[in-house]
Amino acid sequence: MKSFADLQQVGKQLKEQQAQREKAEAERIAREKQAAIEANIFRSSIGDVQILKQQEKFHPIPQKPKPIPFKHIEDEQKALQESLSDEFDAGTLLESDENLSYTRPGVGIDVAKKLRQGAWVIQAQLDLHGMRRDQARDNLGEFLRKCIRSGFRCVRIIHGKGLGSINKEPVLKNKVRNWLIQKDEVIAFSQATAADGGSGALIVLLRAS
């Protein structure tokens, strides 16, 4: 059996342990109160809090560049820069009549005669008066393309009689004939009648579009 002194010592230790537990509990309660005070201070300072709505992100669809019509550009450039030779001599291809008519191989020989007689209605005309050679050539090529697209069959080309040119020579008159023979869309032509311009113009028959 322990002595009275030992019992006193055990009692003292128990009291110290109890005091430590009470102190720790008091410190815990104090910390919770302080945390509650600080939390209230934070809430009161920022006010009511609302959850932000998350907007859907916008992902723009990039617009594709418009396709470049390379083929169309190439065709237009070829059309504007006509591959018509100024050195081409159509003299041997023209019929030996006073009108120097022309019909493409495979076309009936009566076509040029009907042109001279006005069998077809003139649907469009091009006046090359006063144009230089290169300008006249380009305008002629563009005019024929437009006529084919429009479905015109019979047109008039006015090249003039050359009365205003140097030495009074009809330069465009011969050039126009040479150019027309090189165009696949031209199947025949003949000098115009007096009423339609005579020796200063040609009546041209184009293939069907």
Side-chain angles (χ1 to χ4, degrees), residues 61-78:
I61 301 175
Q63 293 184 352
K64 295 182 179 180
K66 294 182 178 180
I68 301 175
F70 290 109
K71 181 60 178 176
H72 176 71
I73 293 175
E74 181 183 354
D75 291 342
E76 289 297 320
Q77 288 177 343
K78 286 182 179 179

Side-chain angles (χ1 to χ4, degrees), residues 55-206:
Q55 297 180 351
E56 295 183 2
K57 292 184 178 181
F58 175 68
H59 300 284
I61 301 175
Q63 293 184 352
K64 295 182 179 180
K66 294 182 178 180
I68 301 175
F70 290 109
K71 181 60 178 176
H72 176 71
I73 293 175
E74 181 183 354
D75 291 342
E76 289 297 320
Q77 288 177 343
K78 286 182 179 179
L80 290 176
Q81 299 175 351
E82 292 294 330
S83 58
L84 298 177
S85 173
D86 289 331
E87 306 303 323
F88 182 80
D89 183 10
T92 58
L93 300 176
L94 298 175
E95 295 182 14
S96 57
D97 58 19
E98 60 180 1
N99 298 307
L100 293 179
S101 302
Y102 166 79
T103 53
R104 189 169 295 280
V107 178
I109 59 175
D110 60 331
V111 172
K113 181 179 179 180
K114 289 182 178 180
L115 275 178
R116 292 192 297 271
Q117 295 174 346
W120 283 277
V121 176
I122 297 175
Q123 298 169 289
Q125 74 172 22
L126 173 67
D127 191 346
L128 301 176
H129 267 115
M131 294 186 186
R132 293 183 178 274
R133 182 185 60 190
D134 292 344
Q135 183 184 10
R137 183 179 61 238
D138 292 343
N139 275 268
L140 177 62
E142 184 177 358
F143 172 74
L144 293 177
R145 287 199 326 278
K146 289 180 178 179
C147 289
I148 288 294
R149 287 199 298 264
S150 300
F152 296 158
R153 296 296 310 281
C154 184
V155 299
R156 175 170 52 190
I157 308 295
I158 303 173
H159 47 67
K161 300 179 180 180
L163 299 179
S165 61
I166 300 175
N167 298 327
K168 305 297 181 179
E169 295 181 357
V171 178
L172 280 184
K173 180 177 181 178
N174 295 327
K175 291 295 183 184
V176 168
R177 282 176 163 81
N178 292 343
W179 295 334
L180 287 175
I181 290 178
Q182 296 177 67
K183 300 295 292 182
D184 291 337
E185 54 264 46
V186 175
I187 62 176
F189 63 76
S190 179
Q191 180 175 297
T193 63
D196 289 325
S199 61
L202 291 174
I203 307 299
V204 182
L205 186 64
L206 304 176

